[in-house]
Amino acid sequence: MLSDQELLRYSRQILLPQIDIDGQLRLKQARALIVGLGGLGSPVALYLAAAGVGELHLADFDTVDMTNLQRQVLHDSTQVGRSKVDSAITRLSALNPQVRLVAHRQALDVDSLAAVLQQVDLVLDCCDNFTTREAVNAACVAAGKPLVSGAAIRLEGQLSVFDPRRDDSPCYHCLYGHGSEAELTCSEAGVAGPLVGLVGSLQALEALKLLAGFGEPLVGRLLLIDALSTRFRELRVKRDPQCPVCGARHG
Ligand SMILES: [Zn+2]
């Protein structure tokens, strides 16, 4: 059941026939893991908390740095030097005290990832490195949990949803596992703040669709965003039957 306060707080999205009270109840019962509380994780955490997702698991081992504040809008100048998880809890609990927040302040390894995935319905990859992305993907495939993946660097963004519950869905490794491009970081290459805000907002929207059960998720499609010319392109992406991560699950 939803209280009068909840009906009021979420009224503008409950008005959407695709969400309605049933969808809001599904969001209230939903649990999501956010890996990385940086530029992508900021809008993801803010919008999912604002929308009333019942439980958010917040994973980040880093502390807030002054150079983060140009794009990581979850944090502010008073939080510099504090852990990003603690900074996020301060902001998110003020935004919506009804959401349960679960802190994961250590880097997640294979074992801890597997344990956390047993406690959530969906994962949002908002991290900034290939190693973590691969580990998160493998854990999602093993646990059968959908993964909303976003990335942004310089003035380019990418977004896709991988859902191991669907036979036709590729996984992250199907798409990126063969890449040999040297890994770039935002600290070396730079990134535009509103671009990570855009990609993170789209990740939050895909998560709400999956958790509340409406719309068509971005599965089997890769969205490419060129911020310089403001162009969006979409590529079809297929599952790789030889993929060492998700191939075996289909026999
Ligand atoms: Zn795969």
Side-chain angles (χ1 to χ4, degrees):
M1 285 291 292
L2 295 170
S3 66
D4 288 348
Q5 276 298 315
E6 287 170 315
L7 289 169
L8 183 63
R9 177 183 281 265
Y10 307 118
S11 57
R12 297 306 187 268
Q13 69 191 34
I14 290 173
L15 271 172
L16 299 170
Q18 293 87 350
I19 296 184
D20 211 327
I21 288 177
D22 286 345
Q24 191 63 50
L25 279 168
R26 283 192 285 275
L27 293 180
K28 185 178 180 178
Q29 287 152 8
R31 305 156 303 166
L33 166 65
I34 305 171
V35 181
L37 298 169
L40 299 170
S42 285
V44 163
L46 288 165
Y47 278 122
L48 294 190
V53 172
E55 186 171 294
L56 294 178
H57 289 248
L58 307 169
D60 203 307
F61 56 86
D62 210 354
T63 54
V64 179
D65 185 84
M66 187 64 80
T67 60
N68 299 151
L69 300 180
Q70 160 257 1
R71 64 197 179 283
Q72 301 183 13
V73 296
L74 184 58
H75 314 295
D76 65 54
S77 303
T78 66
Q79 304 292 330
V80 170
R82 221 170 154 219
S83 92
K84 287 191 181 177
V85 167
D86 291 330
S87 167
I89 287 172
T90 300
R91 175 77 179 94
L92 298 173
S93 54
L95 173 62
N96 190 348
Q98 291 167 344
V99 174
R100 287 186 307 280
L101 301 171
V102 183
H104 301 278
R105 293 184 188 82
Q106 281 79 41
L108 294 173
D109 59 16
V110 172
D111 289 338
S112 52
L113 261 177
V116 177
L117 283 207
Q118 293 310 308
Q119 305 166 50
V120 300
D121 307 301
L122 174 145
V123 178
L124 296 114
D125 188 344
C126 303
C127 80
D128 61 356
N129 69 88
F130 188 69
T131 306
T132 304
R133 288 181 184 281
E134 283 281 351
V136 168
N137 175 62
C140 285
V141 171
K145 301 289 166 76
L147 170 62
V148 181
S149 182
I153 191 95
R154 294 175 301 223
L155 291 156
E156 296 150 30
Q158 299 194 358
L159 183 79
S160 195
V161 175
F162 308 106
D163 192 342
R165 300 170 301 179
R166 285 176 50 166
D167 279 349
D168 61 338
S169 174
C171 79
Y172 177 84
H173 192 86
C174 292
L175 194 55
Y176 294 103
H178 313 291
S180 58
E181 191 183 350
E183 192 178 345
L184 284 171
T185 65
C186 292
S187 61
E188 295 155 359
V191 67
L195 173 67
V196 287
L198 172 64
V199 175
S201 296
L202 287 169
Q203 285 182 271
L205 188 56
E206 289 300 310
L208 291 180
K209 285 161 60 182
L210 286 162
L211 294 173
F214 66 96
E216 179 195 354
L218 191 67
V219 173
R221 298 181 284 148
L222 173 67
L223 184 69
L224 301 170
I225 300 169
D226 176 3
L228 199 56
S229 61
T230 316
R231 285 194 170 86
F232 291 65
R233 281 196 305 143
E234 190 182 297
L235 300 179
R236 289 263 152 204
V237 287
K238 289 207 168 102
R239 196 173 70 79
D240 174 6
Q242 310 299 322
C243 175
V245 177
C246 74
R249 110 187 117 93
H250 300 279

